[in-house]
């Protein structure tokens, strides 16, 4: 990983120095080794702060949304899943490919800094030290799918044969069991909207949850408003979730959001597939539920 | 001195839970927060009194995330209030730490002083008894002392318990506390026990002079840099024991309806969305700055203390690794003379 860090610094220094980019997005070390976090270098002096280590898990592609209305040229380091996020943004016309210099890193799998900081917080019963982050165990594409420069040796996917096993377990439940399951997980939602904020597919300029006239979704932390929030959030992910797993990773009350997203991935694949969101960029191609044809075989929508 | 043997803890909690809704720190499945002792499931829940703290703060006991205020019927222009939902039943928060007790003292300032009395808060607060748990071993993200909180002498406590190994030292601090002492009766014993010494803090925040210094830093470029990676989710505000912003909203169907309040977050753009369409804090830098100015400057100007009690929860839960200790120290060290 040291080599990757050095290579990233070298590229960042070159791009910033030559003026090829105005901002270079990567990661820096936090207080502790495990607290690796996003860092945006703006000058050559900043470059020394950039690191890549086993905790460089944060998907930076979402941060591009902050610059969508600007003119800045942006360098960004992406792993496999993060690079799918960039395709999400380009397909959704949120950022132009020409503004980006993408440094791809073939990802060996990451550990989760949030899990590590929680394990050391004293706020939870002591857990065994975690290995690879859960989302990395479900990874179908560790290698960047769009890049200008690639670092590291090609990696193999880590998702097992039974990619949708947990989804199938839920599908096999009775209606009552399933309702109980969702009630249990949604009742603990504190509506902090972190799952929305870290999501690269959540790029609407005005989110339905912020609309006040009319207010589509109530703001009570009640089971009905929480259900509504999660149903709406999830359905907007259909065919668009790039499986970076950030929503589930950052959730402060550990709602298994990827389980819900995976159900949609499975269904979109079954109904309209084969389809994997953001796995390759073809100009003009849109996700299945983002395109409309007049001769659609269904008579409604 | 009076002590409560740890072997009698469950019995004592059962006793206290008879006359009041009793909240205790629990780890429950994936969750970590204060929950009713009456909902405690031995085996699956874990009582967290021996741990540092829990992730979700006890503020919801006196200030719930969603609280109904009143119901109404409206026919034409006439509105009739049917019922107000003030909630005066007795409650006990058992085992909260000094940081969380100090945060409730901040709420008291906001909701009960300066000529403003919030009757919904008051009904809950007046009937809540606080059993605070003195802290001797600061955790990896604790910095309460730097924010003026003494972890070993929690403020606002009706009772302070101190962990002395096999027993808790039980110190009643108020008439509400005396009632709990009386309720426990012979479960409390008279015995000598020694509280441990306070261990050193790992986090070093230097807040001295920061409130004053911030007065001149509203337009400082440091905010751009500090807020760069903030994703403006509401985690920090919701896990914060002292954040108290709320919104008042309504649910109605036909002629019936009720008003409720719910936590709001200054991290959301909708928080400052104005009716005419303008938003004075439209971007993350402005929202981020406001949050820290409120915590570190504005509250201190109004109430003489910061609105941060150093619990460290935001450091633990922030997806972007934003660390308030670093922010305080960066502001403290910032050379503002060259930026004028």
């Amino acid at each position: 990983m040291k080599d990757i860090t050095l290579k990233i610094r070298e590229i960042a220094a070159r791009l910033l120095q030559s003026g090829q980019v105005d901002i270079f997005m990567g990661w820096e070390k936090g207080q502790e080794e495990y607290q690796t976090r996003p860092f945006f270098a703006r000058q050559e002096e900043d470059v020394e702060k950039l690191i890549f280590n086993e905790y460089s898990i944060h998907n930076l592609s979402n941060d591009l949304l902050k610059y969508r209305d600007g003119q800045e040229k942006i360098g960004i380091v992406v792993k496999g899943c993060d690079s799918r996020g960039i395709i999400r943004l380009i397909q959704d016309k949120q950022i132009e490919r020409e503004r980006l210099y993408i440094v791809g890193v073939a990802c060996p799998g990451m550990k989760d800094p949030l899990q590590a900081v929680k394990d050391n917080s004293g706020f939870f019963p002591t857990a065994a030290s975690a290995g690879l982050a859960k989302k990395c165990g479900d990874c179908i594409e560790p290698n960047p799918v769009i890049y200008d420069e690639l670092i590291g040796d090609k990696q193999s996917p880590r998702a097992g044969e039974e990619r949708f096993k947990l989804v199938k377990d839920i599908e096999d439940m009775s209606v009552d069991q399933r309702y109980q399951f969702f009630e249990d997980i949604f009742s603990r939602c504190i509506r902090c909207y972190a799952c929305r904020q870290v999501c690269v597919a959540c790029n609407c300029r005005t989110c339905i949850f912020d609309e006040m006239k009319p207010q589509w979704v109530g703001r009570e932390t009640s089971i009905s408003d929480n259900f509504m929030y999660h149903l709406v959030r999830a359905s907007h992910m259909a065919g668009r979730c790039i499986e970076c797993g950030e929503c589930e990773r950052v959730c402060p009350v550990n709602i298994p959001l990827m389980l819900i997203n995976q159900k949609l991935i499975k269904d979109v694949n079954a109904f309209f597939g084969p389809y994997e969101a953001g796995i390759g960029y073809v100009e003009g191609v849109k996700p299945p539920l983002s395109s409309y044809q007049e001769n659609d075989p269904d008579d409604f929508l | 001195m009076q002590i409560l043997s740890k072997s009698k803890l469950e019995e004592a909690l059962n006793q206290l839970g008879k006359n009041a809704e009793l909240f205790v720190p629990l780890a429950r499945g994936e969750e970590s927060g204060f929950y009713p002792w009456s909902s405690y499931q031995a085996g699956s829940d874990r009582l967290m009194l021996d741990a540092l703290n829990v992730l979700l703060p006890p503020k919801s006991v006196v200030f719930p995330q969603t609280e109904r205020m009143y119901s109404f019927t409206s026919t034409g222009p006439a509105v009739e209030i049917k019922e107000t939902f003030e909630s005066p039943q007795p409650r006990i928060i058992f085992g909260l730490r000094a940081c969380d007790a100090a945060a409730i003292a901040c709420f008291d300032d906001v909701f009960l002083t300066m000529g403003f009395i919030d009757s919904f808060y008051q009904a809950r607060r007046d009937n809540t008894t606080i059993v605070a748990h003195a802290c001797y071993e600061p955790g990896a993200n604790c910095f309460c002392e730097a924010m003026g909180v003494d972890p070993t002498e929690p403020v606002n406590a009706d009772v302070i318990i101190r962990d002395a190994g096999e027993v808790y030292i039980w110190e009643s601090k108020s008439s509400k506390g005396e009632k709990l002492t009386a309720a426990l009766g012979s479960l409390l014993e008279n015995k000598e026990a020694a509280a441990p010494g306070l261990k050193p803090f790992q986090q070093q925040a230097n807040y001295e002079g920061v409130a004053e210094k911030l007065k001149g830093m509203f337009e400082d470029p440091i905010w751009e840099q500090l807020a760069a990676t903030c994703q403006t989710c509401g985690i920090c505000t919701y896990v914060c024991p002292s954040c108290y912003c709320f919104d008042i909203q309504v649910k109605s169907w036909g002629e019936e309806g009720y008003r409720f309040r719910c936590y709001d977050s200054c991290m959301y753009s909708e928080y400052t969305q104005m009716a005419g369409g303008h938003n004075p804090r439209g971007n993350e830098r402005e929202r981020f700055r406001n949050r820290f100015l409120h915590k570190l400057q504005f509250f201190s100007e109004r109430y003489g203390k910061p609105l941060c009690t150093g619990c460290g929860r935001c450091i633990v839960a922030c997806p972007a690794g934003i660390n308030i200790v670093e922010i305080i120290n960066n502001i403290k060290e910032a050379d503002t003379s060259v930026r004028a």
Side-chain angles (χ1 to χ4, degrees):
Chain A
M1 300 246 189
K2 282 240 162 60
D3 293 351
I4 297 178
T5 296
L6 292 176
K7 190 79 185 141
I8 288 172
R9 286 180 187 169
E10 188 188 307
I11 297 168
R14 186 186 82 220
L15 296 173
L16 285 164
Q17 194 180 31
S18 66
Q20 208 177 334
V21 303
D22 304 294
I23 302 163
F24 189 91
M25 293 180 170
W27 302 270
E28 69 171 347
K29 186 180 159 300
Q31 275 186 345
E32 301 294 333
E33 195 60 37
Y34 53 79
Q35 282 173 305
T36 303
R37 61 189 181 193
F39 174 66
F40 309 155
R42 286 175 174 273
Q43 298 139 34
E44 225 190 309
E45 303 93 86
D46 298 338
V47 163
E48 285 306 303
K49 285 193 185 171
L50 289 166
I51 57 157
F52 185 86
N53 64 14
E54 58 188 354
Y55 290 101
S56 295
I57 198 168
H58 193 109
N59 179 355
L60 301 166
S61 65
N62 166 276
D63 289 283
L64 291 171
L65 287 169
K66 290 185 175 179
Y67 300 95
R68 63 180 154 185
D69 295 325
Q71 301 296 320
E72 302 93 337
K73 298 251 189 208
I74 302 168
I76 182 168
V77 188
V78 293
K79 308 179 295 293
C81 54
D82 312 341
S83 73
R84 295 174 65 188
I86 295 204
I87 292 182
R88 168 87 289 110
L89 292 176
I90 298 172
Q91 279 183 341
D92 292 351
K93 300 199 184 305
Q94 296 302 308
I95 199 135
E96 289 108 36
R97 175 69 179 88
E98 297 69 39
R99 284 179 63 197
L100 304 178
Y101 189 94
I102 305 167
V103 180
V105 179
C107 177
M110 291 285 139
K111 291 179 178 173
D112 181 2
L114 275 169
Q115 191 57 51
V117 77
K118 279 180 187 165
D119 289 344
N120 286 288
S121 69
F123 295 167
F124 296 88
T126 29
S129 184
L132 276 195
K134 178 183 166 288
K135 73 178 206 177
C136 296
D138 296 333
C139 176
I140 61 159
E141 186 46 274
N143 302 299
V145 293
I146 184 170
Y147 54 83
D148 294 295
E149 206 162 331
L150 187 63
I151 308 175
D153 302 325
K154 200 169 188 302
Q155 301 283 334
S156 306
R158 283 173 295 272
E161 299 269 302
E162 284 244 60
R163 182 178 168 202
F164 296 114
K165 177 168 185 320
L166 289 173
V167 175
K168 285 179 191 137
D169 290 346
I170 306 288
E171 286 171 346
D172 288 342
M173 288 179 178
S174 72
V175 172
D176 288 345
Q177 281 175 325
R178 200 154 53 226
Y179 185 82
Q180 189 60 48
F181 173 80
F182 284 112
E183 192 175 88
D184 286 348
I185 62 173
F186 293 149
S187 62
R188 61 178 189 250
C189 177
I190 60 170
R191 304 285 290 279
C192 67
Y193 298 162
C195 47
R196 171 185 75 177
Q197 292 303 108
V198 300
C199 177
V200 66
C202 279
N203 52 42
C204 291
R205 282 176 187 273
T206 304
C207 173
I208 183 170
F209 305 123
D210 294 334
E211 291 252 13
M212 297 302 289
K213 285 198 289 185
Q215 187 183 41
W216 299 99
V217 179
R219 276 284 288 277
E220 284 179 293
T221 36
S222 62
I223 192 66
S224 64
D225 284 359
N226 287 5
F227 254 99
M228 190 65 183
Y229 169 71
H230 283 283
L231 285 173
V232 173
R233 191 203 71 83
S235 52
H236 284 184
M237 291 299 124
R240 305 182 62 250
C241 168
I242 50 89
E243 286 179 279
C244 70
E246 287 289 83
C247 51
E248 182 170 304
R249 184 177 75 85
V250 305
C251 178
V253 290
N254 294 316
I255 297 172
L257 292 153
M258 279 310 290
L259 184 62
I260 301 160
N261 293 341
Q262 278 201 320
K263 164 69 177 163
L264 291 160
I265 289 165
K266 179 169 170 282
D267 281 359
V268 166
N269 193 46
F271 296 140
F272 311 105
Y275 186 76
E276 297 289 354
I279 211 82
Y281 178 60
V282 181
E283 205 172 335
V285 172
K286 284 182 177 301
L289 298 178
S290 303
S291 62
Y292 168 76
Q293 288 164 353
E294 278 187 12
N295 60 355
D296 195 291
D298 281 342
D299 58 6
F300 178 68
L301 286 181
Chain B
M1 65 176 57
Q2 289 184 298
I3 58 116
L4 171 65
S5 167
K6 285 187 180 175
S7 62
K8 293 179 180 166
L9 178 63
E10 289 208 9
E11 209 181 327
L13 293 174
N14 289 337
Q15 185 63 29
L16 295 177
K18 279 182 185 164
N19 301 313
E21 196 176 7
L22 174 66
F23 292 85
V24 294
L26 291 182
R28 168 171 283 176
E30 303 282 339
E31 297 167 273
S32 156
F34 282 80
Y35 302 96
W37 173 245
S38 59
S39 69
Y40 174 76
Q41 301 274 343
S44 56
D45 291 340
R46 186 177 177 286
L47 192 58
M48 293 289 277
L49 284 171
D50 57 345
L52 176 72
N53 207 338
V54 285
L55 183 67
L56 298 180
K59 67 178 174 181
S60 56
V61 177
V62 288
F63 179 59
Q65 176 150 11
T66 301
E67 181 173 36
R68 274 190 203 201
M69 304 173 84
Y70 60 86
S71 59
F72 60 84
T73 49
S74 64
T75 34
V79 177
E80 190 196 342
I81 307 279
K82 282 169 59 185
E83 196 183 346
T84 53
F85 299 108
E86 285 174 6
S87 182
Q89 59 268 41
R91 296 183 176 89
I92 300 168
I93 312 175
F94 192 98
L96 81 176
R97 295 294 191 176
C99 47
D100 294 342
I104 292 177
C106 293
F107 283 12
D108 290 349
D109 290 336
V110 172
F111 291 119
L112 302 173
T113 71
M114 299 263 181
F116 300 98
I117 303 283
D118 182 302
S119 61
F120 297 95
Y121 180 79
Q122 190 178 37
R124 285 178 175 270
R125 182 66 184 89
D126 283 352
N127 295 292
T128 299
T129 305
I130 292 177
V131 181
H133 188 190
C135 217
Y136 297 96
E137 206 168 328
N141 305 293
C142 291
F143 59 104
C144 64
E145 207 171 47
M147 305 315 286
V149 174
D150 180 346
T152 65
E153 294 296 336
V155 296
N156 234 357
D158 299 302
V159 175
I160 297 179
I161 57 171
R162 302 176 191 279
D163 192 331
E166 298 297 308
V167 302
Y168 291 109
I169 298 169
W170 179 275
E171 283 172 21
S172 172
K173 292 284 175 183
S174 72
S175 57
K176 281 184 188 170
E178 290 301 330
K179 281 186 191 157
L180 298 197
T181 304
L184 288 181
S186 63
L187 288 171
L188 297 176
E189 298 160 62
N190 277 309
K191 241 187 211 171
E192 289 307 302
L198 176 61
K199 291 196 175 157
F201 281 79
Q202 297 163 52
Q203 292 283 353
Q204 306 295 335
N206 189 351
Y207 179 64
E208 210 186 327
V210 165
E212 191 63 24
K213 188 174 180 182
L214 280 169
K215 285 181 187 174
M217 292 181 69
F218 192 75
E219 296 292 355
D220 197 281
I222 198 169
W223 298 113
E224 192 77 51
Q225 176 203 322
L226 295 176
T229 59
C230 174
Q231 295 184 296
T232 63
C233 70
I235 291 182
C236 54
T237 59
Y238 289 177
V239 301
C240 177
S242 65
C243 270
Y244 56 82
C245 284
F246 62 89
D247 194 10
I248 295 178
Q249 300 201 355
V250 68
K251 270 218 176 130
S252 60
W253 52 98
E255 294 177 347
E256 302 273 315
Y258 61 86
R259 243 173 222 286
F260 63 94
R261 64 176 170 192
C262 56
Y263 293 175
D264 204 349
S265 173
C266 56
M267 289 289 115
Y268 303 154
S269 67
E270 184 233 316
Y271 179 88
T272 42
Q273 183 63 53
M274 297 170 82
H278 176 61
N279 194 332
R281 295 203 284 269
N283 67 38
E284 60 273 358
R285 178 186 69 98
E286 288 156 352
R287 301 208 280 278
F288 182 98
R289 175 179 64 190
N290 181 74
R291 179 161 193 272
F292 287 98
L293 288 181
H294 186 199
K295 293 235 160 268
L296 306 174
Q297 181 200 339
F298 305 153
F299 197 86
S300 161
E301 286 169 359
R302 190 167 166 82
Y303 299 108
K305 58 186 168 191
L307 186 61
C308 168
T309 58
C311 73
R313 287 186 177 90
C314 54
I315 302 173
V316 171
C318 178
I322 291 169
N323 183 323
I324 187 170
V325 171
E326 289 177 19
I327 290 170
I328 292 168
N329 291 338
N330 278 340
I331 292 166
K332 172 83 181 174
E333 285 154 25
D335 180 2
T336 48
S337 60
V338 293
R339 291 168 180 164

